[in-house]
Amino acid sequence: MAGLFESAGAGGAVLALDELEASILRSLEVQMLELIGPGPGGDGDGDPLAALFAEGPTEAPDDPALARLFPDAYGDPGGPADPRSAEASGEFRRYTELDLRARKRDDALHVVRALDGLGGEGGLVSLDAPACLRWLGALNDLRLALGVRLEVTEDDEQGLYDLPDADDRKPLVMAYLWLGALQESLLEAVAD
């Protein structure tokens, strides 16, 4: 896989993807949408005023990947549970998580729709500056979730390059590393 972002000027970027790359990225984003879930009500046909005042959960998600995407706002991430921090995190989560989930869903959907615009084939994806921010968010979310599933730590990230081909994690590791390269190239393209 070689498709990386290049600057298009004015904070925009372009990405040339072959059919396989587009398919893999689309599949990963669809899986992200499934992980995040449909949101409150599930169908979006509810009362918009009620949705505006809807309260989210007060407990962190049980799924480690979701917990990484929606971390507690207070307390030490790996430390012992502090009742005051847990209560503050619950209050913060109650008023922010629904919006954060909606933003993450919107970012992932934006990527899926852009890839759908290629018609199931490879091609050139052109992004303006606001779309670049959505793609950065979506790519970051994918890397965070994959990193949790692969149990990646800063200490062993170099070891990912040395996995034998027979290792069952190899396809996910390749996706994780490619997403990192995409994310880095997009940051560089936006900065140009």
Side-chain angles (χ1 to χ4, degrees):
M1 291 184 223
L4 297 176
F5 284 96
E6 295 180 14
S7 177
V14 293
L15 173 65
L17 293 171
D18 64 29
E19 185 176 345
L20 179 61
E21 292 167 331
S23 173
I24 290 170
L25 187 53
R26 186 184 186 290
S27 175
L28 290 170
E29 288 296 354
V30 168
Q31 290 176 55
M32 177 59 64
L33 287 166
E34 291 171 357
L35 178 66
I36 294 171
D43 57 13
D45 292 334
D47 178 8
L49 187 58
L52 182 64
F53 292 104
E55 293 182 2
T58 58
E59 298 291 323
D62 291 332
D63 183 315
L66 283 174
R68 182 71 175 101
L69 292 172
F70 306 105
D72 283 335
Y74 301 98
D76 184 11
D82 168 19
R84 285 185 50 184
S85 294
E87 183 179 345
S89 289
E91 279 297 298
F92 185 81
R93 180 179 303 281
R94 184 169 78 172
Y95 295 112
T96 61
E97 187 170 315
L98 293 180
D99 288 339
L100 185 56
R101 280 181 183 264
R103 186 186 56 84
K104 289 180 181 299
R105 264 191 307 278
D106 288 346
D107 289 348
L109 272 172
H110 185 83
V111 172
V112 169
R113 288 180 181 135
L115 295 171
D116 284 349
L118 299 177
E121 300 175 8
L124 194 65
V125 177
S126 296
L127 307 175
D128 60 12
C132 286
L133 294 177
R134 289 175 161 250
W135 275 67
L136 279 170
L139 291 171
N140 187 58
D141 291 342
L142 283 175
R143 276 188 45 92
L144 287 173
L146 277 175
V148 168
R149 296 290 192 241
L150 292 168
E151 299 177 355
V152 174
T153 65
E154 287 182 37
D155 298 334
D156 68 2
E157 189 161 327
Q158 182 59 38
L160 296 177
Y161 292 96
D162 301 327
L163 279 179
D165 289 341
D167 193 308
D168 291 340
R169 299 173 298 160
K170 186 75 173 200
L172 287 179
V173 167
M174 296 301 295
Y176 176 81
L177 295 172
W178 177 56
L179 291 169
L182 277 178
Q183 191 176 14
E184 184 177 345
S185 69
L186 181 51
L187 284 168
E188 290 172 359
V190 169
D192 280 348

Short mmCIF file of all heavy atoms in Angstrom, two decimals, residues 4 11 22 27 35-36 44 54 72 83 87 89 117 119 124 127 129-130 142 144 147 164:
data_model
loop_
_atom_site.label_atom_id
_atom_site.label_comp_id
_atom_site.label_asym_id
_atom_site.label_seq_id
_atom_site.Cartn_x
_atom_site.Cartn_y
_atom_site.Cartn_z
N LEU A 4 -0.51 7.86 -0.05
CA LEU A 4 -0.33 8.82 1.04
C LEU A 4 -0.83 10.18 0.57
O LEU A 4 -0.91 10.46 -0.61
CB LEU A 4 1.15 8.91 1.45
CG LEU A 4 1.76 7.64 2.03
CD1 LEU A 4 3.24 7.85 2.29
CD2 LEU A 4 1.05 7.20 3.30
N GLY A 11 -4.58 24.43 2.83
CA GLY A 11 -4.98 23.52 3.89
C GLY A 11 -5.67 22.26 3.42
O GLY A 11 -6.12 21.46 4.22
N ALA A 22 -8.76 1.61 -0.92
CA ALA A 22 -10.06 2.23 -0.68
C ALA A 22 -11.00 1.26 0.03
O ALA A 22 -11.72 1.63 0.96
CB ALA A 22 -10.68 2.70 -2.00
N SER A 27 -13.83 -0.35 4.84
CA SER A 27 -14.21 -1.42 5.76
C SER A 27 -13.87 -1.06 7.21
O SER A 27 -14.67 -1.28 8.12
CB SER A 27 -13.52 -2.72 5.36
OG SER A 27 -13.78 -3.73 6.30
N LEU A 35 -18.73 0.05 15.95
CA LEU A 35 -18.20 0.11 17.31
C LEU A 35 -18.80 1.27 18.09
O LEU A 35 -19.24 1.11 19.23
CB LEU A 35 -16.67 0.23 17.27
CG LEU A 35 -15.96 0.36 18.62
CD1 LEU A 35 -16.12 -0.93 19.43
CD2 LEU A 35 -14.49 0.69 18.41
N ILE A 36 -18.87 2.43 17.46
CA ILE A 36 -19.40 3.62 18.13
C ILE A 36 -20.89 3.49 18.39
O ILE A 36 -21.40 3.93 19.41
CB ILE A 36 -19.08 4.89 17.32
CG1 ILE A 36 -17.57 5.13 17.31
CG2 ILE A 36 -19.80 6.10 17.89
CD1 ILE A 36 -17.13 6.22 16.36
N GLY A 44 -32.76 8.50 14.69
CA GLY A 44 -32.67 9.91 14.36
C GLY A 44 -34.00 10.57 14.07
O GLY A 44 -34.05 11.71 13.66
N ALA A 54 -30.72 15.65 25.72
CA ALA A 54 -30.47 14.26 26.12
C ALA A 54 -29.17 14.18 26.93
O ALA A 54 -28.22 14.90 26.68
CB ALA A 54 -30.37 13.37 24.90
N ASP A 72 -12.11 8.73 30.52
CA ASP A 72 -12.53 9.57 31.64
C ASP A 72 -11.81 10.90 31.57
O ASP A 72 -10.63 10.97 31.19
CB ASP A 72 -12.23 8.88 32.97
CG ASP A 72 -13.22 7.79 33.31
OD1 ASP A 72 -14.37 7.85 32.82
OD2 ASP A 72 -12.86 6.88 34.09
N PRO A 83 -12.75 8.04 44.08
CA PRO A 83 -14.20 8.29 44.03
C PRO A 83 -14.56 9.70 43.53
O PRO A 83 -15.51 9.86 42.78
CB PRO A 83 -14.66 8.09 45.47
CG PRO A 83 -13.61 7.23 46.10
CD PRO A 83 -12.33 7.54 45.39
N GLU A 87 -16.63 10.40 40.08
CA GLU A 87 -17.88 11.16 40.06
C GLU A 87 -17.80 12.34 39.09
O GLU A 87 -18.72 12.57 38.31
CB GLU A 87 -18.20 11.67 41.47
CG GLU A 87 -19.52 12.42 41.54
CD GLU A 87 -19.84 12.91 42.95
OE1 GLU A 87 -19.22 12.45 43.91
OE2 GLU A 87 -20.74 13.77 43.05
N SER A 89 -15.80 12.60 36.51
CA SER A 89 -15.75 12.04 35.15
C SER A 89 -17.14 11.63 34.68
O SER A 89 -17.49 11.83 33.51
CB SER A 89 -14.81 10.84 35.09
OG SER A 89 -13.48 11.25 35.22
N GLY A 117 -17.74 7.71 -3.10
CA GLY A 117 -17.71 8.56 -4.29
C GLY A 117 -16.73 8.05 -5.34
O GLY A 117 -16.80 8.47 -6.50
N GLY A 119 -16.78 5.06 -6.32
CA GLY A 119 -17.53 4.05 -7.06
C GLY A 119 -17.00 2.64 -6.91
O GLY A 119 -17.13 1.83 -7.82
N LEU A 124 -8.81 9.28 -6.92
CA LEU A 124 -8.26 10.43 -6.22
C LEU A 124 -9.31 11.04 -5.30
O LEU A 124 -10.40 11.38 -5.74
CB LEU A 124 -7.79 11.47 -7.25
CG LEU A 124 -6.91 12.59 -6.74
CD1 LEU A 124 -5.58 12.04 -6.25
CD2 LEU A 124 -6.68 13.60 -7.85
N LEU A 127 -9.61 16.72 -0.71
CA LEU A 127 -10.18 17.24 0.53
C LEU A 127 -9.87 18.72 0.69
O LEU A 127 -8.72 19.13 0.50
CB LEU A 127 -9.60 16.48 1.73
CG LEU A 127 -9.68 14.95 1.72
CD1 LEU A 127 -8.95 14.38 2.92
CD2 LEU A 127 -11.12 14.50 1.70
N ALA A 129 -9.88 22.04 3.47
CA ALA A 129 -9.35 22.12 4.83
C ALA A 129 -10.30 21.53 5.88
O ALA A 129 -9.85 20.74 6.73
CB ALA A 129 -8.99 23.57 5.18
N PRO A 130 -11.61 21.84 5.87
CA PRO A 130 -12.49 21.21 6.87
C PRO A 130 -12.57 19.69 6.74
O PRO A 130 -12.62 18.98 7.74
CB PRO A 130 -13.85 21.87 6.61
CG PRO A 130 -13.56 23.15 5.91
CD PRO A 130 -12.32 22.88 5.11
N LEU A 142 -9.44 5.39 14.33
CA LEU A 142 -9.11 4.04 13.87
C LEU A 142 -7.82 3.55 14.51
O LEU A 142 -7.73 2.41 14.98
CB LEU A 142 -8.96 4.00 12.35
CG LEU A 142 -10.24 4.00 11.53
CD1 LEU A 142 -9.91 4.09 10.04
CD2 LEU A 142 -11.08 2.78 11.82
N LEU A 144 -6.42 4.54 17.31
CA LEU A 144 -6.62 4.31 18.74
C LEU A 144 -7.29 2.97 18.99
O LEU A 144 -6.85 2.19 19.85
CB LEU A 144 -7.45 5.43 19.37
CG LEU A 144 -6.76 6.77 19.55
CD1 LEU A 144 -7.77 7.82 20.02
CD2 LEU A 144 -5.59 6.69 20.50
N GLY A 147 -4.97 0.15 18.03
CA GLY A 147 -3.89 0.08 19.02
C GLY A 147 -4.32 -0.65 20.28
O GLY A 147 -3.56 -1.46 20.83
N PRO A 164 6.44 -11.85 12.42
CA PRO A 164 6.51 -12.81 11.32
C PRO A 164 5.19 -12.83 10.54
O PRO A 164 4.13 -12.53 11.08
CB PRO A 164 6.75 -14.15 12.03
CG PRO A 164 6.33 -13.95 13.44
CD PRO A 164 6.45 -12.49 13.74
#
